[in-house]
């Protein structure tokens, strides 16, 4: 598509938010009716528009799906903040909130511990699932087939000497995560950093990401992180509840 074609398409899509008739969309965009009709038909073919019962046009399911993906992290952060603050206060660790995008996690919120150092993690940072506490908590929710498919797609690349790169070892660890409700990252994503994490669910019971408490390895041994596990699980349950999840909604 040329730049002009892109501009016309975006103009029609934007007008579709307030107008449903070709005549009105043509008027506000300044485009010929024939052009508007052609672009709307292309949007219908791709799910960005639908034809209403009266022959008018409405935003399609793909627009709504994209809007939901964009707005979900913002809404999740706002609803999760109280639980994150409480977790940070109780554990004295840096806490993270991450949301699943495709096969990766993306940090969408972070509350630093009151320490003389700062974690290298940053908002917007993407990371693979198999080497992080949040990621392993998310992977534990997958069926065996879903897990195998993900491993086939992205592999198990090593980020540190301690990253689990064996599918057999990963499956064994995920079985423990399912029993305890939380996962550990023993310097597997970043040398010198340990984390304990748990998954969060949306209103439909779908796992959409998770939260974690992170600390320098010299400050928290594995046994100490395991002791923090139930507190992290409780925080994750609080976030899930804030998103509308109840145990009866589990998918």
């Amino acid at each position: 598509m040329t730049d002009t074609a892109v501009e016309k398409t975006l103009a029609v899509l934007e007008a579709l938010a307030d107008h449903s008739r070709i005549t009105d969309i043509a008027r506000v965009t300044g485009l010929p009716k024939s052009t508007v009709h052609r672009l709307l038909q292309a949007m219908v073919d791709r799910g960005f528009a639908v034809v209403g019962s009266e022959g008018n046009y409405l935003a399609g399911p793909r627009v709504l799906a994209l809007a939901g993906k964009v707005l979900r992290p913002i809404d999740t952060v706002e609803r999760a903040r109280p639980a994150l603050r409480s977790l940070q206060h109780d554990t004295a660790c840096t806490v993270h909130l991450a949301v699943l995008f495709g096969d990766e996690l993306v940090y969408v919120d972070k509350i630093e511990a009151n320490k003389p150092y700062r974690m290298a993690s940053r908002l917007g940072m993407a990371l693979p699932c198999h080497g992080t506490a949040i990621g392993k908590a998310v992977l534990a929710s997958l069926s065996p087939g879903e897990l195998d498919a993900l491993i086939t797609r992205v592999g198990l690349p090593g980020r540190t000497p301690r990253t689990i790169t064996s599918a057999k070892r990963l499956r064994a660890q995920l079985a423990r995560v399912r029993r305890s409700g939380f996962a550990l990252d023993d310097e597997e994503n970043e040398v010198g950093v340990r984390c304990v994490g748990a998954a969060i669910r949306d209103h439909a019971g779908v796992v959409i990401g998770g939260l974690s408490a992170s600390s320098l390895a010299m400050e928290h041994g594995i046994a100490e992180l395991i002791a923090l596990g139930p507190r992290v699980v409780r925080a994750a349950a609080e976030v899930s509840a804030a998103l509308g999840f109840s145990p009866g909604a589990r998918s």
Side-chain angles (χ1 to χ4, degrees), residues 19-218:
H19 305 279
S20 61
R21 297 191 306 169
I22 290 178
T23 301
D24 293 331
I25 294 174
R27 175 175 52 81
V28 298
T29 60
L31 296 172
K33 292 180 183 179
S34 58
T35 299
V36 171
H37 182 264
R38 175 174 53 80
L39 292 175
L40 284 172
Q41 284 301 309
M43 291 179 191
V44 169
D45 292 342
R46 291 163 177 79
F48 285 95
V50 294
V51 181
S53 58
E54 298 179 358
N56 56 339
Y57 290 86
L58 305 169
R62 290 194 67 183
V63 172
L64 301 178
L66 287 173
K69 289 180 180 180
V70 171
L71 294 175
R72 186 179 68 184
I74 298 172
D75 181 62
T76 300
V77 169
E78 292 178 353
R79 293 175 183 270
R81 260 282 159 146
L84 293 183
R85 290 196 186 99
S86 179
L87 179 63
Q88 195 285 315
H89 177 269
D90 292 348
T91 63
C93 293
T94 295
V95 299
H96 296 94
L97 178 70
V99 172
L100 194 62
F101 282 92
D103 293 329
E104 293 183 316
L105 287 164
V106 175
Y107 287 132
V108 294
D109 202 8
K110 173 184 179 182
I111 302 178
E112 288 278 5
N114 185 22
K115 301 290 177 69
Y117 61 82
R118 291 289 181 267
M119 293 289 179
S121 54
R122 65 182 185 279
L123 299 188
M125 176 184 287
L127 56 156
C129 289
H130 69 286
T132 64
I134 294 176
K136 285 186 278 186
V138 169
L139 294 182
S141 72
L142 301 181
S143 69
E146 291 171 331
L147 179 63
D148 290 344
L150 185 144
I151 293 174
T152 298
R153 289 194 301 272
V154 303
L156 299 173
R159 292 175 66 93
T160 78
R162 301 184 69 91
T163 306
I164 294 177
T165 57
S166 159
K168 182 178 180 179
R169 283 187 59 207
L170 179 62
R171 292 190 189 96
Q173 191 165 119
L174 295 182
R176 292 194 292 271
V177 173
R178 294 185 193 100
R179 291 194 295 270
S180 67
F182 61 86
L184 301 174
D185 165 8
D186 184 14
E187 302 186 68
E188 297 163 50
N189 184 61
E190 183 181 350
V191 174
V193 176
R194 290 190 174 118
C195 307
V196 53
I200 59 174
R201 295 175 180 269
D202 66 9
H203 67 283
V206 177
V207 170
I208 61 169
L211 52 77
S212 67
S214 304
S215 174
L216 293 184
M218 67 177 68

